[in-house]
Amino acid sequence: VRENVLLILKDAATGRVEKLVQARNLVTNDGAEYYAENGTNSVPTYTFFKGKLALASSYKAAEVATATLGLLTFGSGTSGIRNFDSGYPKTDDTDTDNTGAGVRVATYRRTYTTAEANFTIKALAICRNGATTNPAASATLRKILNYLTLSAAQQITKTSSQTLKAFVNHTFSG
């Protein structure tokens, strides 16, 4: 699996692109298990297709294959944890903003409005539906499909005058 992330920050009034970030992310062990089980027509142990994209204001550790949602910090509130856009995930994405789309690419997309995720984004992950950062909750609710920490140059400070479209593309080579 080759994996990449594309973040597009736009001025909400003009639609002008203010920042474009392309980065590679890590598919976690739980994410690899999910894809392997789907590829063998097995019922996945952990489901991510009805999950959410989680943007974080901080992180506790760099990317590791054993990462969980507990490594991310969401500050005051969880406006960065949102359901995928309608129709996602999908393959062969037709959104022209997505430069990583293809027939062997699983694409996850979330478009954040001016009212969502207004903070400096330092990390992201795809988490399960019902996900929680509560350490007392079931460990299965803290599973994540992928994990990415952004370098200082890649970090995005989003404000209420901007929108953010986030793509996570996982490419399968054959």
Side-chain angles (χ1 to χ4, degrees):
V1 179
R2 190 186 82 223
E3 50 292 315
N4 70 66
V5 172
L6 176 63
L7 303 172
I8 305 169
L9 183 69
K10 291 184 179 182
D11 180 287
T14 66
R16 183 179 63 84
V17 174
E18 295 183 343
K19 187 166 185 174
L20 181 76
V21 174
Q22 293 179 309
R24 293 183 59 95
N25 71 117
L26 173 74
V27 172
T28 64
N29 290 343
D30 295 317
E33 181 180 340
Y34 167 75
Y35 283 131
E37 288 171 340
N38 273 314
T40 60
N41 206 26
S42 300
V43 175
T45 304
Y46 308 113
T47 56
F48 294 100
F49 67 94
K50 292 183 180 178
K52 300 176 184 224
L53 188 61
L55 301 179
S57 59
S58 186
Y59 55 91
K60 299 174 187 171
E63 298 143 8
V64 292
T66 56
T68 66
L69 200 57
L71 290 180
L72 302 175
T73 304
F74 298 98
S76 60
T78 55
S79 72
I81 302 176
R82 293 288 183 252
N83 291 328
F84 303 127
D85 287 346
S86 179
Y88 286 85
K90 66 169 134 184
T91 57
D92 206 16
D93 187 15
T94 56
D95 186 320
T96 56
D97 285 336
N98 186 6
T99 57
V103 294
R104 292 187 314 236
V105 179
T107 297
Y108 303 81
R109 184 186 82 189
R110 173 63 198 186
T111 305
Y112 290 86
T113 68
T114 55
E116 300 169 323
N118 292 322
F119 52 82
T120 299
I121 300 159
K122 297 182 179 180
L124 66 84
I126 291 175
C127 59
R128 299 184 67 210
N129 192 25
T132 179
T133 57
N134 179 352
S138 167
T140 64
L141 291 178
R142 295 190 306 273
K143 301 285 184 183
I144 57 176
L145 178 75
N146 70 316
Y147 186 49
L148 170 66
T149 57
L150 298 169
S151 70
Q154 294 170 321
Q155 292 175 8
I156 292 177
T157 300
K158 184 183 167 304
T159 68
S160 61
S161 65
Q162 298 164 315
T163 61
L164 177 70
K165 192 183 287 188
F167 293 97
V168 176
N169 293 305
H170 291 161
T171 303
F172 298 87
S173 54

